[in-house]
Amino acid sequence: VAMAIDATGNTVVTGRSFDGVNEGYLTVKYAADSTLLWQTPLPGNSEVPRQPHAIAIDSTGNVFVAGDTLVK
């Protein structure tokens, strides 16, 4: 799990997700008042799981997530 806070106090969190079969990750952005602003999944599958490691937000609010894809 990784988290970053932008210049306006919004929080962006990324972490692993699992639907019972497939591993991927989900990135979500919350407003300062905890309102969900958006969510973006990066699904994997049983053969190619994905895992996030870091998150960053630039000065214009763009969100960058770094992770890896594990090929079995």
Side-chain angles (χ1 to χ4, degrees):
V1 174
M3 181 180 75
I5 300 172
D6 70 15
T8 61
N10 298 318
T11 302
V12 184
V13 181
T14 192
R16 293 173 70 179
S17 63
F18 183 67
D19 66 6
V21 177
N22 301 313
E23 287 184 55
Y25 52 95
L26 178 67
T27 303
V28 295
K29 183 174 184 178
Y30 296 98
D33 68 359
S34 301
T35 302
L36 177 65
L37 298 175
W38 54 256
Q39 59 183 347
T40 302
L42 180 60
N45 61 51
S46 60
E47 294 298 316
V48 185
R50 301 175 192 279
Q51 181 172 335
H53 295 289
I55 192 167
I57 304 171
D58 70 12
S59 61
T60 60
N62 295 305
V63 176
F64 301 88
V65 177
D68 60 36
T69 299
L70 307 171
V71 179
K72 294 181 180 180

